[in-house]
Amino acid sequence: MPGRWRRARPQPPLDPGTGGFSFAALKAMGNPMPLLVQNDGDALLELFLEPFGQDYLLHPGEAVTVTSYGRWDRYPFETIHEPNRITILATSCFATVSDAGGNEVPPANRRPPGVHQ
């Protein structure tokens, strides 16, 4: 059979309250690999986290940590930088975004209007 076999990736437990993957469930997977993302520019920077299409907005001077959990083949992240936007693919498929205190930062579409990160 051509090609190579891929190892199954560990699956985090589903959050019983929502049926989704919670911040705590992803952290419990272990094997954390953090990546600091900081907006050193003077304009709003969009952080787009794949593979689930989560969108975050970083104001000038703001920083977050994107952490990949689980297993990956070669690299924990792939990044693409465009004007006013950075796209990060967590190759393990499981990642969190947190502030300097380690607290979850919700995606922009889950925050109440007018609330910044």
Side-chain angles (χ1 to χ4, degrees):
M1 186 177 284
R4 66 175 198 188
W5 290 93
R6 299 189 90 162
R7 288 187 306 240
R9 290 191 168 106
Q11 298 296 315
L14 289 176
D15 184 313
T18 64
F21 302 124
S22 70
F23 186 71
L26 292 177
K27 289 176 69 173
M29 289 182 70
N31 199 27
M33 180 60 66
L35 174 68
L36 178 66
V37 179
Q38 183 168 326
N39 182 358
D40 284 336
D42 56 2
L44 197 62
L45 176 67
E46 179 184 24
L47 166 61
F48 197 68
L49 182 59
E50 290 285 13
F52 296 111
Q54 296 164 306
D55 191 18
Y56 301 85
L57 300 174
L58 298 178
H59 294 270
E62 281 189 300
V64 295
T65 300
V66 178
T67 305
S68 176
Y69 297 93
R71 305 257 180 254
W72 50 86
D73 290 330
R74 293 184 66 196
Y75 307 103
F77 301 103
E78 293 179 11
T79 60
I80 299 170
H81 181 254
E82 302 169 281
N84 299 321
R85 182 181 196 178
I86 186 165
T87 300
I88 298 175
L89 169 66
T91 59
S92 70
C93 295
F94 304 108
T96 60
V97 177
S98 56
D99 61 19
N103 303 303
E104 178 181 18
V105 175
N109 60 1
R110 287 188 11 214
R111 283 194 307 274
V115 173
H116 302 295
Q117 301 180 135

